[in-house]
Amino acid sequence: VQLQASGGGLVQPGGSLRLSCTASGFTLDTYAIGWFRQAPGKEREWVSCLSSSDGNIYYADSVKGRFTGTRENGKNTVYLQMNSLKPEDTAVYYCAAYIAYSECLDGPLDAGHFGLWGQGTQVTVSS
């Protein structure tokens, strides 16, 4: 029972990537899902949270207007579309289930309130 992030890669500044978060062993649509990232030498940083049913999606100020989260419950998958990428977006990206509440709250959110972490996916933004 875990979540798995995928879709990372190397992209030039200004480019785009779409990350996927797929659940195995449970139904993802019953959970609010958070995206986090961790750059080398830095703490894990909250990026976005997608509610399970109230339709709310929240973003960190650093990615607001550039990143968009969507859910595709039929595929048991959540996506993070990342546009206008910057070198400072370089990090390992993770998704996790919000176990503290059934719906998202506006951030920044504490990684300690999330569970079912899987392996992250590396995003590198560089020319």
Side-chain angles (χ1 to χ4, degrees), residues 13-28:
S16 298
L17 282 173
R18 188 178 77 159
L19 305 184
S20 299
C21 173
T22 303
S24 59
F26 70 102
T27 302
L28 184 147

Side-chain angles (χ1 to χ4, degrees), residues 13-95:
S16 298
L17 282 173
R18 188 178 77 159
L19 305 184
S20 299
C21 173
T22 303
S24 59
F26 70 102
T27 302
L28 184 147
D29 61 359
T30 60
Y31 288 90
I33 300 298
W35 286 97
F36 289 79
R37 65 187 181 185
Q38 188 165 18
K42 295 188 176 181
E43 292 188 354
R44 193 163 294 189
E45 173 190 21
W46 171 72
V47 173
S48 178
C49 187
L50 289 77
S51 287
S52 64
S53 61
D54 70 8
N56 288 324
I57 305 175
Y58 298 102
Y59 302 94
D61 289 343
S62 59
V63 306
K64 200 171 293 182
R66 300 187 298 122
F67 290 10
T68 303
T70 56
R71 305 182 70 111
E72 192 164 355
N73 291 335
K75 293 187 176 180
N76 219 24
T77 301
V78 168
Y79 301 99
L80 185 68
Q81 178 67 41
M82 306 187 298
N83 297 330
S84 302
L85 282 162
K86 304 175 181 180
E88 52 263 43
D89 295 318
T90 296
V92 177
Y93 283 71
Y94 301 87
C95 58

Side-chain angles (χ1 to χ4, degrees), residues 1-3 24-26 116-117:
V1 178
Q2 70 175 37
L3 294 164
S24 59
F26 70 102
L116 303 178
W117 297 87

